[in-house]
Amino acid sequence: IRHIRAMGSVYIAADMRPKMVGVVMDVSDDVNRNEELKRVNALTEARNTELETAKARIEHDALHDSLTGLPNRRHLDEMLAAHARKFESGEEMAALLQIDLDRFKQINDTLGHMAGDAMLVHAADILRSTVEPDDFVARVGGDEFVVVRRWTVEGGTESEYGLTCLAEKIIRNMQMPLSYEGHQCRVGVSIGIATDLNSNADPKRLLVNADIALYRAKERGRNRHQFFNEALETEIITTKRVADDI
């Protein structure tokens, strides 16, 4: 196949007859070079798209739990760091719910880790469907999950009643059984709650304070929630000091 470029013009000759003058060039090499350049550009764009997709996948995998698809501890730390900056500038406040599955170990021990994994996925799905769209839900390890609710200062303050309703709704919905190979698997949840409103709390301590409250919730009989407060912190510090002295 040869590519030809023809250019011509009609004119009236001296004998008053119309004639045409022009030039015909073989441009096959130019066309072939252009087609090869287009092919290389298309290949380069495809490879760049593949690299961007791979990069996005790697970044997603680095920040998300492979089993449940929820954000992981690293993602949570980054989110809390961003919240800390907004908190310091007076833009944002937050409440953190530390959630631990009760009786999860029994499922693992009796039905195996596959059943345990299925229960973790089940718990993650329940949390997603229970919280508000803007809430941040993460799996931070084992059978522990975290829910972070943030609000702007201009938007007002999330009330303790609202957080109580959220915790009770999570506890209630989490009692929904999971059918696994003919077995009805059930777990409960204990929840510790800490907010930026606590006088001794700040974004960097939200996890610590929520964990302290979670410990108390489990002590009180599990399947319940507990707010962190100064009295609870004082009690924990005193108990640790006595233990260290002993």
Side-chain angles (χ1 to χ4, degrees), residues 27-75:
V27 294
S28 300
D29 290 342
D30 291 342
V31 171
N32 291 337
R33 279 193 295 269
N34 286 336
E35 290 181 349
E36 177 64 16
L37 182 60
K38 290 179 181 179
R39 188 188 70 81
V40 171
N41 287 339
L43 182 60
T44 301
E45 289 179 2
R47 287 177 177 172
N48 287 339
T49 301
E50 289 179 2
L51 288 174
E52 289 296 327
T53 301
K55 179 182 177 182
R57 185 172 61 250
I58 290 171
E59 290 178 350
H60 180 275
D61 291 346
L63 296 175
H64 290 79
D65 173 50
S66 59
L67 177 64
T68 63
L70 291 175
N72 57 19
R73 178 58 182 266
R74 178 181 173 186
H75 197 171

Side-chain angles (χ1 to χ4, degrees), residues 26 41 55 96 100 104 110-111 140 178-179 191 204 239:
D26 184 346
N41 287 339
K55 179 182 177 182
L96 188 147
D100 187 77
F104 174 75
T110 57
L111 299 178
V140 294
L178 167 69
S179 180
I191 303 176
K204 296 178 182 178
T239 301

Side-chain angles (χ1 to χ4, degrees), residues 71-105:
N72 57 19
R73 178 58 182 266
R74 178 181 173 186
H75 197 171
L76 174 65
D77 290 341
E78 291 185 0
M79 187 277 292
L80 288 178
H83 166 62
R85 292 190 291 271
K86 293 182 179 180
F87 175 80
E88 291 172 358
S89 62
E91 299 176 44
E92 184 179 89
M93 304 192 78
L96 188 147
L97 285 71
Q98 181 92 358
I99 302 167
D100 187 77
L101 302 186
D102 298 328
R103 297 186 299 277
F104 174 75
K105 187 175 185 298

Side-chain angles (χ1 to χ4, degrees), residues 222-240:
R222 303 171 185 264
N223 219 36
R224 62 179 67 236
H225 71 277
Q226 172 69 49
F227 278 89
F228 174 84
N229 53 53
E230 293 181 19
L232 180 58
E233 182 181 34
T234 300
E235 182 181 337
I236 294 294
I237 292 173
T238 301
T239 301
K240 183 180 184 304

Side-chain angles (χ1 to χ4, degrees), residues 24 60 72 84-85 94 112 126 131 140 151 171 183 187 212 214 233:
V24 175
H60 180 275
N72 57 19
R85 292 190 291 271
I126 289 177
V131 303
V140 294
W151 62 91
I171 292 172
H183 298 278
V187 295
I212 291 173
L214 172 64
E233 182 181 34

Side-chain angles (χ1 to χ4, degrees), residues 3 15 26-27 45 49 58-59 87 93 97 117 120 129 148 163 193 200 213 219 232 244-245:
H3 295 270
D15 57 3
D26 184 346
V27 294
E45 289 179 2
T49 301
I58 290 171
E59 290 178 350
F87 175 80
M93 304 192 78
L97 285 71
D117 288 349
L120 291 172
S129 63
V148 180
L163 295 173
I193 307 173
N200 292 334
E219 273 190 336
L232 180 58
D244 290 343
D245 290 344

